[in-house]
């Protein structure tokens, strides 16, 4: 395929863009995004997803980026729980897209797309972000990459030569970190927006109205300490996993990453003090990186290596 459409599905958004297989870059004018109510009905969610994807399809058809009879590959960066081999959503009890439970996203989307000559592939959103981050860092020669997303939840992927690794003695089960034990709870409760909200309310007695960005804009002793505590927690949690995987590069994305200047220096200092020699890359355009990573699912060499081991969670 000369052109692939990469789609990033988030808890409150969808982004879609066409990616050229020749240079692995987003084709100008094909990137569209929109807000999605994850608590809406199945019909509304599918229609919104189709609306955005159809805009990308319209542009590549009008600009003749592909021949009229060419199948369009549509690759999804999709959060779990999801059956990635079959395209069936398994969202249940996780406060998002629950109306899609046990629904074939492929079948339902096909009813709403402007063309039926399409092929679908799916991969976990954290893995897609990791693949996209690894592709953008390819010139640096980093082969073993750990990619994390810090936002409403805590996503992670372990990649060896761009391949997501989900099992083995040197990676956590399923290649996930969100559900692993940390202090008195799980990691997701420490490395997400709600941790910042809870800390801020505990220190000030006030509730946040604009997330981590609001804390970052205040810049006083209390907020600086919150970011220092976050950096200390993150380095303490990640260090054993980085060492076990022998990672060359840590890629950090998500909305919290946009405030990197407030936690990155401390994070790097802690790694150095722990004798962890690792490069750290901040990705501020997380959605575009995930779109790029998802589009790589139609690289047939890559697909042949991962398709038999796609996670089902």
């Amino acid at each position: 395929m000369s052109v692939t459409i990469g789609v990033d599905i988030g808890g409150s958004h969808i982004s879609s863009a066409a990616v050229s297989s020749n240079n692995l870059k987003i084709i100008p004018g094909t990137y569209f995004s929109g807000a999605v109510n994850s608590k809406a009905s199945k019909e509304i969610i599918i229609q919104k997803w189709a609306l955005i994807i159809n805009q990308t399809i319209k542009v590549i058809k009008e600009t003749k980026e592909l021949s009229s009879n060419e199948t369009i590959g549509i690759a999804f960066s999709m959060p779990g729980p999801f059956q990635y081999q079959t395209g069936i959503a398994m969202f249940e009890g996780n406060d998002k897209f629950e109306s899609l439970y046990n629904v074939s996203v492929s079948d339902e989307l096909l009813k709403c797309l402007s063309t039926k000559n399409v092929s679908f592939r799916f991969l976990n959103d954290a893995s897609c972000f990791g693949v996209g981050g690894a592709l953008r860092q390819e010139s640096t020669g980093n082969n073993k990459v750990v990619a994390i997303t810090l936002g409403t939840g805590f996503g992670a992927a372990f990649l060896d030569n761009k391949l997501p690794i989900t099992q083995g003695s040197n990676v956590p089960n399923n290649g996930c970190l969100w559900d692993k034990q940390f202090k008195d709870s799980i990691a997701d409760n420490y490395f997400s927006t709600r941790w910042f909200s809870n800390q801020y309310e505990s220190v000030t007695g006030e509730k946040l109205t604009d997330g981590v960005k609001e804390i970052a804009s205040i810049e006083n002793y209390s907020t600086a300490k919150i970011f220092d505590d976050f950096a200390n927690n993150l380095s303490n949690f990640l260090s054993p996993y980085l060492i076990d995987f022998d990672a060359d590069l840590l890629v950090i994305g998500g909305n919290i990453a946009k405030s990197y200047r407030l936690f990155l220096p401390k994070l790097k200092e802690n790694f150095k003090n722990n004798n962890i020699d690792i490069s750290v890359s901040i990705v501020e355009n997380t959605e575009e990186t995930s779109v790029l990573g998802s589009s790589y699912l139609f690289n047939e060499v890559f697909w042949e290596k991962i398709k038999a081991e796609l996670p089902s969670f």
Side-chain angles (χ1 to χ4, degrees), residues 195-196 212-217 219 221-233 256 259-264 266-267:
W195 179 86
F196 280 90
V212 176
K213 183 170 64 173
E214 183 179 344
I215 302 177
S217 69
E219 295 198 36
Y221 172 79
S222 295
T223 58
K225 185 177 186 305
I226 290 174
F227 278 101
D228 269 0
D229 289 347
F230 175 76
N232 290 334
N233 285 337
I256 295 172
S259 302
Y260 69 90
R261 61 188 177 82
L262 298 174
F263 69 83
L264 185 58
K266 184 70 172 177
L267 185 70

Side-chain angles (χ1 to χ4, degrees), residues 113-165:
L113 292 181
S114 58
T115 179
K116 308 305 176 189
N117 192 15
V118 297
S119 176
F120 297 105
R121 288 177 183 176
F122 301 87
L123 187 62
N124 175 264
D125 54 350
S127 295
C128 284
F129 172 74
V131 172
L135 288 170
R136 286 186 159 173
Q137 298 288 333
E138 195 166 26
S139 60
T140 65
N142 294 293
N143 292 324
K144 301 189 81 172
V145 177
V146 175
I148 61 173
T149 51
L150 305 168
T152 54
F154 178 40
F158 292 74
L159 301 107
D160 192 348
N161 287 315
K162 298 188 290 291
L163 292 175
I165 308 297

Side-chain angles (χ1 to χ4, degrees), residues 39-58:
K39 299 183 185 301
S41 67
K42 176 187 75 173
E43 291 75 19
I44 289 175
I45 292 172
I46 293 293
Q47 287 168 11
K48 181 63 178 185
W49 287 355
L51 175 68
I52 298 297
I53 297 169
N54 280 336
Q55 291 181 66
T56 299
I57 293 173
K58 184 173 184 287

